[in-house]
């Protein structure tokens, strides 16, 4: 499984924003559909809310896409 870092400059990013930024979906409006059709895990727990807040050190496992690790650009 490929691991990818997602760098954020804000305190958090939503799951829907992560899907869009990583080009898994084309528009924010597709997030609800995508999460209904695919099993995604946030910190090893199933998650289907596009508004779920992701903070630095959270992990998002998306089958067939990879494991995404949220990191803050402000971390040293």
């Amino acid at each position: 499984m490929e691991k990818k870092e997602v760098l954020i400059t804000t305190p958090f990013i939503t799951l829907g924003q992560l899907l869009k930024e990583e080009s898994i979906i084309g528009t924010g409006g597709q997030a609800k559909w995508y999460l209904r059709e695919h099993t995604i895990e946030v910190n090893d727990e199933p998650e289907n809310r596009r508004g779920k807040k992701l903070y630095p050190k959270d992990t998002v496992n998306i089958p067939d896409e990879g494991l995404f690790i949220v990191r803050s650009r402000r971390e040293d």
Side-chain angles (χ1 to χ4, degrees), residues 11-24:
F12 64 87
I13 186 173
T14 66
L15 182 54
Q17 289 170 325
L18 181 140
L19 292 172
K20 187 172 179 216
E21 281 191 19
E22 293 300 317
S23 300
I24 296 166

Side-chain angles (χ1 to χ4, degrees), residues 25-71:
I25 59 174
T27 66
Q30 293 175 332
K32 195 176 204 177
W33 168 83
Y34 187 89
L35 292 168
R36 195 175 23 217
E37 300 293 322
H38 298 84
T39 302
I40 292 178
E41 292 182 348
V42 173
N43 300 325
D44 298 320
E45 296 288 329
E47 184 58 66
N48 62 4
R49 296 173 294 163
R50 64 183 174 176
K52 169 70 176 167
K53 292 178 181 176
L54 305 172
Y55 296 93
K57 300 186 181 151
D58 282 348
T59 60
V60 181
N61 183 12
I62 305 174
D64 301 323
E65 297 291 341
L67 179 68
F68 297 84
I69 303 166
V70 180
R71 299 264 190 247

